[in-house]
Amino acid sequence: GVDSTDVWAWPAPAADGRLLLTRTWGVSRQLNPVGGALELATVARPDLARILRSFPYLAPDGQVHQGISSPGWLGDSEAVYIGDRIDYPRACSSCPPDTLVTGLGLVRLDLNNPGQLAVVPGTGEISSVTPFGPTTVLMTTRGSSVVTQLSLNGGTTIPIHDFAPGGIARDVESA
């Protein structure tokens, strides 16, 4: 409507036609959204979605996740995403605000029981993630030049590629 803003983002289609995506909503001309959700829909009907997780919410590790980004599928019944903090800093008092999204942790979500989620230990500086099998992800961390493979069952990390010197790895994707 004229008085509101709705944004759908981060689509993650599954091979069977299901679709994970985020939706945020707010009031027109208001800086920050009123709320949002991680939703489950289908590629054919993304407008008919079921809310899996609303945000903001208090995560099991005690941090408030104000947003959700980079959802992805771990098999048929589990997903991962980044729980985010969102700030709106201004360079000066008369400058327009910017939007600064900071990954607070990698979250595992049981799609059969969306109330059950877990923040993966050691992922507090996460900047991007993509599933790399049913129990493994590729991820990057804030300011790092390394793409890391993380085993979700044991917490083992393996550096996959280092873009150093002077590089920062961002927006990891698996093929």
Side-chain angles (χ1 to χ4, degrees):
V2 175
D3 63 344
S4 63
T5 303
D6 297 296
V7 176
W8 285 264
W10 298 106
D16 64 2
R18 291 181 297 162
L19 180 68
L20 290 171
L21 67 159
T22 63
R23 180 172 62 103
T24 55
W25 53 87
V27 178
S28 289
R29 302 193 198 301
Q30 181 176 322
L31 179 61
N32 54 329
V34 172
L38 176 66
E39 298 181 337
L40 177 62
T42 64
V43 172
R45 290 301 308 262
D47 56 318
L48 297 177
R50 176 172 65 105
I51 293 176
L52 298 172
R53 168 62 57 178
S54 295
F55 55 85
Y57 66 90
L58 181 63
D61 65 356
Q63 297 192 80
V64 174
H65 291 180
Q66 297 167 306
I68 290 174
S69 60
S70 301
W73 296 90
L74 291 175
D76 292 333
S77 62
E78 190 175 17
V80 292
Y81 62 83
I82 299 174
D84 294 317
R85 180 180 73 228
I86 305 171
D87 297 303
Y88 302 95
R90 294 176 186 264
C92 67
S93 62
S94 62
C95 295
D98 198 354
T99 303
L100 180 62
V101 179
T102 304
L104 296 176
L106 177 63
V107 179
R108 291 178 78 166
L109 178 68
D110 181 346
L111 298 175
N112 295 320
N113 188 359
Q116 296 296 313
L117 57 90
V119 179
V120 178
T123 60
E125 297 290 315
I126 190 166
S127 58
S128 70
V129 66
T130 190
F132 194 62
T135 60
T136 306
V137 297
L138 298 179
M139 60 182 261
T140 59
T141 54
R142 184 173 45 190
S144 174
S145 62
V146 179
V147 175
T148 303
Q149 179 179 313
L150 170 65
S151 167
L152 297 173
N153 287 343
T156 307
T157 59
I158 301 168
I160 298 297
H161 186 77
D162 191 341
F163 289 93
I168 295 179
R170 289 189 279 245
D171 303 324
V172 66
E173 291 285 332
S174 64

